[in-house]
């Protein structure tokens, strides 16, 4: 069974505004309620605390800062083909904000992920800008191994 999880690969906090899945073969749409993250009934939170954010424009959640990877698992949900859409926001602070989506999750340390480095989005340094979006496959294919063995293949600018 493949599990889709919203993951927070971050030292800085993450603000997640929306997350939805579009299953193309079944033409079914699913939009999980992110406000349930704080209750942990629909979601399982690992290595993070979650708080609700609400303003006049949107409702979302914020994950706290920690030096280790954190994960929010969507419980009892299977997904195999389709599109994932989400609104996430990290911080533009060098080496302090890594946010993204995990898929093919087996457990808290075995998964594939696509994540973003917001601090590289608008930098003047073209080498750093080319590392704005990253694919990884943990535990075997970490970002450093992929960069070393396949330079430029699994990282791209925004």
């Amino acid at each position: 069974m493949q599990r889709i999880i919203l993951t927070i690969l971050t030292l800085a906090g993450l603000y997640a505004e929306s997350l939805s899945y579009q299953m193309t073969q079944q033409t079914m749409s699913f939009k999980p309620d992110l406000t349930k993250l704080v209750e942990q009934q629909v979601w399982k939170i690992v290595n993070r605390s979650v708080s609700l954010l609400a303003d006049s424009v949107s409702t979302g959640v914020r994950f706290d800062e920690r030096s280790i990877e954190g994960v929010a698992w969507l419980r009892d949900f299977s997904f195999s083909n389709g599109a994932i859409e989400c609104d996430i926001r990290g911080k533009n602070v060098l080496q302090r904000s890594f946010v993204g989506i995990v898929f093919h999750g087996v457990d808290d340390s075995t998964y594939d992920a696509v994540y973003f480095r917001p601090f590289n989005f608008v930098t003047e340094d073209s080498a750093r800008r080319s590392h704005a979006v990253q694919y990884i496959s943990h535990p075997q294919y970490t970002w450093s191994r992929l960069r070393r063995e396949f330079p430029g293949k699994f990282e791209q600018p925004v």
Side-chain angles (χ1 to χ4, degrees), residues 25-58:
Q25 289 183 341
Q26 300 171 355
T27 63
M28 179 183 133
S29 183
F30 173 70
K31 186 173 182 177
D33 184 353
L34 292 179
T35 63
K36 299 293 184 189
L37 276 164
V38 296
E39 298 172 12
Q40 293 201 31
Q41 294 167 346
V42 178
W43 299 83
K44 175 187 172 194
I45 310 301
V46 179
N47 296 327
R48 287 291 181 274
S49 294
V50 181
S51 57
L52 284 177
L53 294 175
D55 58 33
S56 60
V57 179
S58 61

Side-chain angles (χ1 to χ4, degrees), residues 9 91-99 114-136 142-158:
L9 305 171
K91 292 184 178 180
N92 185 14
V93 179
L94 184 60
Q95 299 299 325
R96 295 277 316 268
S97 187
F98 303 86
V99 294
V114 173
Y115 70 93
F116 304 92
R117 297 180 180 105
F119 51 86
N120 283 341
F121 288 3
V122 294
T123 181
E124 297 295 322
D125 181 346
S126 62
R128 279 190 35 219
R129 197 169 41 255
S130 71
H131 303 311
V133 180
Q134 173 80 50
Y135 166 79
I136 57 174
T142 62
W143 71 268
S144 57
R145 180 176 179 186
L146 290 173
R147 185 179 291 174
R148 183 179 63 251
E149 294 179 13
F150 306 96
K153 185 169 183 177
F154 295 100
E155 294 177 285
Q156 294 295 316
V158 172

Side-chain angles (χ1 to χ4, degrees), residues 49-111:
S49 294
V50 181
S51 57
L52 284 177
L53 294 175
D55 58 33
S56 60
V57 179
S58 61
T59 300
V61 292
R62 183 180 191 288
F63 295 88
D64 67 342
E65 295 184 31
R66 300 208 186 159
S67 61
I68 56 176
E69 294 175 355
V71 179
W73 295 90
L74 182 56
R75 297 181 192 265
D76 303 318
F77 184 76
S78 179
F79 178 85
S80 57
N81 293 311
I84 300 171
E85 295 181 18
C86 65
D87 293 317
I88 55 177
R89 182 174 65 198
K91 292 184 178 180
N92 185 14
V93 179
L94 184 60
Q95 299 299 325
R96 295 277 316 268
S97 187
F98 303 86
V99 294
I101 298 290
V102 169
F103 49 97
H104 300 148
V106 175
D107 56 37
D108 297 341
S109 60
T110 306
Y111 53 79

